[in-house]
């Protein structure tokens, strides 16, 4: 009677362990690196390449490198000359901003970064944050421009380097996103005029390279302005970038809107919500969440595209570095300088994608 | 029109392109009346009740809801939608909002109820549908039957004068049908005006004043539940009843 059924396992649950070859480091290596002959071949090839590349690079970058010497001493060494960055960092970062006033853009950047970091946390998204941003923007503008409170005035033609890059990027991206959403909604509008305008705008802008838009904003556009009226070159470049990025965001957002089930619109409408409420409270929160990954791709590439403003003679981070490298003393050390610039871009982009992933995770609680 | 008619449909026609989906619909619903609509798939049941809150537009005839005629006038449409609750086959809860937020959305934004009061109303109806303990969860964390009960509560929070149900139980697993029907039966006992598209005969028998049979976009038969099921006059209906009985 007590005899168990032949198919019922009588082994205690904890006693059975998997064979050694499938767990632990050896198991992991076997499973992931040498699971078949092709995989093994790839593994060996990769190891060989790493062996060829990594040690010489480390040697160049850290062992044979110079950190504090001047250009002449650098030329005698085999390794990297990091002093090209160290000695010129102020010009690379701040461009032609007056030397004794450079604490001002630095402060502006610190405020910006501080605000960005503070805004990362969704718990901080309250009304006070909007005020903080507003106050921050005013202070930043004051710091850059000066002219009152005993601060010497600095013409925007002297702005440059990292502050200019960040300025173009942060304002470009924050303005382009809402504009893109409006365009996407316009493209779906039932009103033919709005729909046609949105489509024309989106297709036109997407059919033109950013460079030509920048040229137009700096050369063609002023021709249409009445005599005596000038618009700041940075503003013009900024507007061109916003208009450009918005068209791409619009298309991504449209994809998100089309992915929304019809039932969501119907449920919202049958509660009596009007169009704006339906969009704002029900449709957009869901649609924008779906398109976070492609949106962030656009924002990241827009961020990198800020370097194109060099063609209309704005001195962004890349341009200040380039012109520093024309100094005979430092000529030939472009590799080091560009690696440094690349690192700055990399850090910014890393934080953008990191933030987006975090946002996605936080918004995902509903699933 | 009479004062106690909440819905009047007069000679209503609707086409989808060439397809004539509603043909000369005439229907009057009194306050407190409960109507169940059945009929084969594609006969226009959904289309008809969706015309009542203008989720679909009719092309000919007149629809008057609570004394207001449905026209292209957006203000009227929004007004009528606040008076007419709608429950869908697939619930259509808002997945990015908690249950409580789903329920308070309409009252806060449409009725301009203060948040605290809206939440109080919401909790009242959640208790009514026996689901108050789930208020802070998201729709995706609830079973189908629970979601449909939330959807009913969401409509009730707007204090509608009429409730429309479009096959509210047909997307549910059998064991959840009863919990939703129970909620609807309770609602009926309280005197809510209801129009329900459903093939649940037990439900129709216990709450409906009238049962309608639709086919090819027409209302072929309209009778008390007993007569409807025991003495179907129309041949199509006889066939239909014998099919849903087996
Ligand atoms: N948006 C639409 N565009 C074109 N035709 C439609 C549309 N919606 C419904 N129809 C058609 O209209 C007819 C009536 O559809 P309706 O959904 O009202 O039927 P129903 O009686 O509710 O059927 P079911 O029991 O399957 O829900 C069907 O032939 C359907 O194919
Ligand atoms: Mg239907």
């Amino acid at each position: 009677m007590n005899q168990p059924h032949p198919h019922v396992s009588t082994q205690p649950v904890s006693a059975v362990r998997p064979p050694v070859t499938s767990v632990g480091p050896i198991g992991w290596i076997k499973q992931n690196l040498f699971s078949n002959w092709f995989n093994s071949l790839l593994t060996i090839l990769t190891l060989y390449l790493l062996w060829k590349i990594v040690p010489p690079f480390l040697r160049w970058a850290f062992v044979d490198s110079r950190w504090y010497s001047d250009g002449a001493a650098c030329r005698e060494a085999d390794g990297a000359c990091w002093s090209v960055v160290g000695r010129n960092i102020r010009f690379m970062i701040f461009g032609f901003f007056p030397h004794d006033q450079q604490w001002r853009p630095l402060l502006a950047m610190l405020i910006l970064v501080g605000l960005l970091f503070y805004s990362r946390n969704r718990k901080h998204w309250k009304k006070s944050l909007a005020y903080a941003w507003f106050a921050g923007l005013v202070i930043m503008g004051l710091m850059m421009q000066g002219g009152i409170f005993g601060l010497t005035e600095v013409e925007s033609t002297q702005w440059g380097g990292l502050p200019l890059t960040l300025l173009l990027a942060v304002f470009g991206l924050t303005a382009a996103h809402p504009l893109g959403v409006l365009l996407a909604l316009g493209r779906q509008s039932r009103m033919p005029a709005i729909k046609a305008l949105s489509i024309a705008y989106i297709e036109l802008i997407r059919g033109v390279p950013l460079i030509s838009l920048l040229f137009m904003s700096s050369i063609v556009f002023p021709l249409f302005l009445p005599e005596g009226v000038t618009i700041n070159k940075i503003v013009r470049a900024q507007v061109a970038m916003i208009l450009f990025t918005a068209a791409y965001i619009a298309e991504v957002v449209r994809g998100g809107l089309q992915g929304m089930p019809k039932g969501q619109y119907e449920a919202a409408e049958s509660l009596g919500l009007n169009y704006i409420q339906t969009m704002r409270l029900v449709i957009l929160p869901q649609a924008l969440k779906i398109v976070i990954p492609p949106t962030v791709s656009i924002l990241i590439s827009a961020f990198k595209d800020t370097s194109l403003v060099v063609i209309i003679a704005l001195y962004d981070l890349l341009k200040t570095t380039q012109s520093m490298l024309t100094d005979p003393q430092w000529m030939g050390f472009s590799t080091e300088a560009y690696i440094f610039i690349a690192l700055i871009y990399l850090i910014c982009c890393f934080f953008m994608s990191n933030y987006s992933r975090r946002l996605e995770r936080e918004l995902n609680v509903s699933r | 029109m009479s004062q106690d008619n909440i819905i009047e449909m007069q000679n209503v026609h609707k086409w989808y392109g060439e397809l004539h989906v509603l043909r000369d619909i005439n229907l009057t619903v009194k306050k407190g009346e409960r109507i169940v609509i059945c009929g084969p798939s594609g006969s226009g049941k959904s289309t008809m009740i969706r015309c009542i809150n203008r989720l679909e537009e009719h092309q000919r005839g007149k629809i008057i809801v609570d004394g207001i005629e449905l026209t292209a006038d957006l203000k009227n449409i929004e007004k009528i939608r606040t008076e007419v609750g709608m429950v869908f086959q697939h619930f259509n809860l808002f997945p990015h909002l908690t249950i409580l937020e789903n329920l308070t959305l309409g009252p806060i934004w449409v009725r301009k109820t203060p948040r605290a009061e809206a939440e109080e109303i919401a909790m009242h109806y959640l208790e009514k549908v026996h689901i108050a303990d789930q208020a802070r969860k998201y729709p995706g964390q609830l079973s189908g039957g629970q979601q449909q009960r939330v959807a009913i509560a969401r409509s009730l929070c707007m204090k509608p004068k009429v409730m429309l149900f479009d096959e509210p139980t047909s997307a549910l697993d059998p064991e959840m049908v009863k919990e939703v029907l129970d909620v609807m039966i309770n609602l009926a006992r309280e005197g809510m005006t209801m129009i329900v598209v459903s093939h649940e005969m037990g439900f129709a028998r216990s709450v409906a004043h009238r049962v309608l049979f639709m086919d090819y976009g027409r209302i072929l038969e309209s009778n008390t539940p007993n007569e409807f099921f025991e003495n179907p006059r129309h041949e199509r209906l006889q066939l239909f009843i014998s099919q849903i009985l087996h």
Side-chain angles (χ1 to χ4, degrees), chain A residues 146-277:
Chain A
I148 38 172
F149 300 134
L151 294 169
T152 15
E153 178 159 359
V154 179
E155 289 287 327
S156 62
T157 44
Q158 289 176 288
W159 300 6
L162 188 58
L164 182 64
T165 296
L166 288 180
L167 191 94
L168 287 172
V170 170
F171 289 99
L173 305 189
T174 43
H177 193 262
L179 183 61
V181 171
L182 285 183
L183 281 169
L185 293 177
R187 191 165 186 166
Q188 303 230 307
S189 169
R190 285 198 206 121
M191 284 173 267
I194 293 183
K195 185 173 179 154
L197 266 179
S198 306
I199 293 180
Y201 175 90
I202 293 170
E203 296 306 333
L204 204 68
I205 296 276
R206 289 206 309 165
V208 174
L210 176 58
I211 294 194
S212 63
L213 268 185
L214 286 171
F215 269 131
M216 276 196 262
S217 80
S218 82
I219 296 163
V220 184
F221 179 63
L223 300 179
F224 295 109
L225 288 178
E227 195 96 17
V229 177
T230 55
I231 295 181
N232 184 317
K233 198 167 174 183
I234 296 180
V235 172
R236 276 184 274 140
Q238 179 84 80
V239 169
M241 298 203 58
I242 291 171
L243 295 182
F244 184 79
T245 311
Y248 285 83
I249 290 184
E251 281 303 273
V252 164
V253 171
R254 181 168 72 107
L257 288 175
Q258 282 175 344
M260 290 301 298
K262 217 169 140 229
Q264 291 290 307
Y265 290 91
E266 292 177 349
E269 282 166 13
S270 65
L271 283 176
L273 296 174
N274 61 30
Y275 172 79
I276 295 176
Q277 291 169 332

Side-chain angles (χ1 to χ4, degrees), chain B residues 45-46 89 166-167 197:
Chain B
K45 308 178 297 289
S46 301
Q89 183 175 1
D166 190 359
E167 307 207 30
V197 175

Side-chain angles (χ1 to χ4, degrees), chain A residues 262-275 277 280-283 285-286 289 365-367, chain B residues 50 53 55-56 78 81-82 84 86 88 92-96 105-106 109-110 112 138 140-141 154 158:
Chain A
K262 217 169 140 229
Q264 291 290 307
Y265 290 91
E266 292 177 349
E269 282 166 13
S270 65
L271 283 176
L273 296 174
N274 61 30
Y275 172 79
Q277 291 169 332
R280 202 189 118 202
L281 301 167
V282 176
I283 304 299
Q286 299 183 61
K289 186 182 111 184
V365 282
S366 53
R367 288 291 144 98
Chain B
R50 288 156 61 87
N53 68 351
L55 286 180
E56 303 289 352
E78 277 159 23
R81 282 175 179 163
T82 62
V84 179
M86 176 105 185
F88 302 87
N92 296 350
L93 295 178
F94 307 129
H96 62 301
L105 194 73
W109 291 92
V110 180
K112 313 287 179 206
Y138 286 90
Q141 298 166 311
R154 177 174 70 180
M158 292 295 288

